[in-house]
Each structure stands twice: as structure tokens, then as C-alpha cells.
Amino acid sequence: QLHLVESGGGSVQSGGSLRLSCTASEDTDIGDCIFWFRQIPGKEREAVAGIGSDGTKRTADAVWPRFKISKDNLKNTLFLDITDLKPADTGMYYCVKGRPPYCNSLYPAEKYTNWGPGTQVTVSS
């Protein structure tokens, strides 16, 4: 079973930037059909970005263009680059890997399992 671990969160001021990382706990490819979610206190866990099975990158309307998903094949690592952070971005951020047919859109969190521990992002005004 694949385990994913998120890192890179922290406490930043409004307008700042962060790079979140997601790495696998075993020698396997991050690959595609992989997503970033976040859970803001009091709200449902929501997809913010993903890479589909054909390599297409998607970003949720609510966070575009501030959030950008990418991966480094040599490092076998998934990234989420966030700019112009706002207090409303405060929450826990997760990566998760899916399987067909839940690859090529930003689906609800209930479609996925095997969540990592997440990494906390806190933005102060």
C-alpha cells in the first residue's frame, strides 16, 4: 500500500508564498491521477489541483491562478506552489492518489482513500 507524506506548510503572512511537497514512502512513482486537497476549518475537504491520467494539470477556480501543481520525476515528488497567500487559505493540505475513473476532473474527497497526514498552512493578516 502506498503512503504519501506532505510537507512544506507553515505560518506565513498574507501575500507570502509556500511550496508544499508530497513524497511516497516506498520506491514507486508518484505518477499521474494525483491531487492536492485542502480542508479549511468548518468546510468540506476540497480539491484544489490535480494531474490527470493523461498528464493534464487542473486547478480549482477558487484558487486559480495562485495555486500551481507540478511534479519532479527525478525527485519523485509532487509540488503545490502557492502565491499571494490569504488568511482564507488557512487549513490542512493533503495529497492523494486516485484511480480510474476518478482521474480527469477535480472530484469530491469521498472518491479517494489512503490520505496522508497533511501539512498545516496558516496565513496571518
Side-chain angles (χ1 to χ4, degrees):
Q1 192 171 28
L2 179 66
H3 296 277
L4 300 176
V5 178
E6 304 89 345
S7 63
S11 182
V12 299
Q13 295 186 45
S14 181
S17 301
L18 284 172
R19 165 169 271 198
L20 309 185
S21 298
C22 172
T23 58
S25 62
E26 59 186 73
D27 187 17
T28 189
D29 290 338
I30 291 289
D32 51 23
C33 196
I34 192 159
F35 305 88
W36 284 101
F37 280 72
R38 71 180 181 183
Q39 189 159 21
I40 295 171
K43 296 185 177 181
E44 297 278 333
R45 190 171 297 186
E46 61 178 338
V48 295
I51 302 177
S53 58
D54 63 353
T56 299
K57 298 176 182 177
R58 295 177 173 83
T59 304
D61 291 343
V63 298
W64 185 92
R66 299 185 299 111
F67 287 39
K68 184 176 181 180
I69 190 169
S70 64
K71 63 178 181 177
D72 186 319
N73 291 326
L74 291 178
K75 297 180 180 179
N76 197 32
T77 302
L78 183 76
F79 300 106
L80 184 67
D81 291 299
I82 313 175
T83 58
D84 192 23
L85 278 157
K86 304 174 181 181
D89 295 321
T90 295
M92 192 71 73
Y93 286 71
Y94 305 87
C95 59
V96 67
K97 190 169 180 63
R99 59 179 59 186
Y102 304 111
C103 291
N104 297 317
S105 188
L106 298 181
Y107 293 98
E110 64 185 7
K111 303 298 184 181
Y112 307 99
T113 58
N114 301 120
W115 297 95
T119 186
Q120 177 70 37
V121 172
T122 302
V123 185
S124 60
S125 60

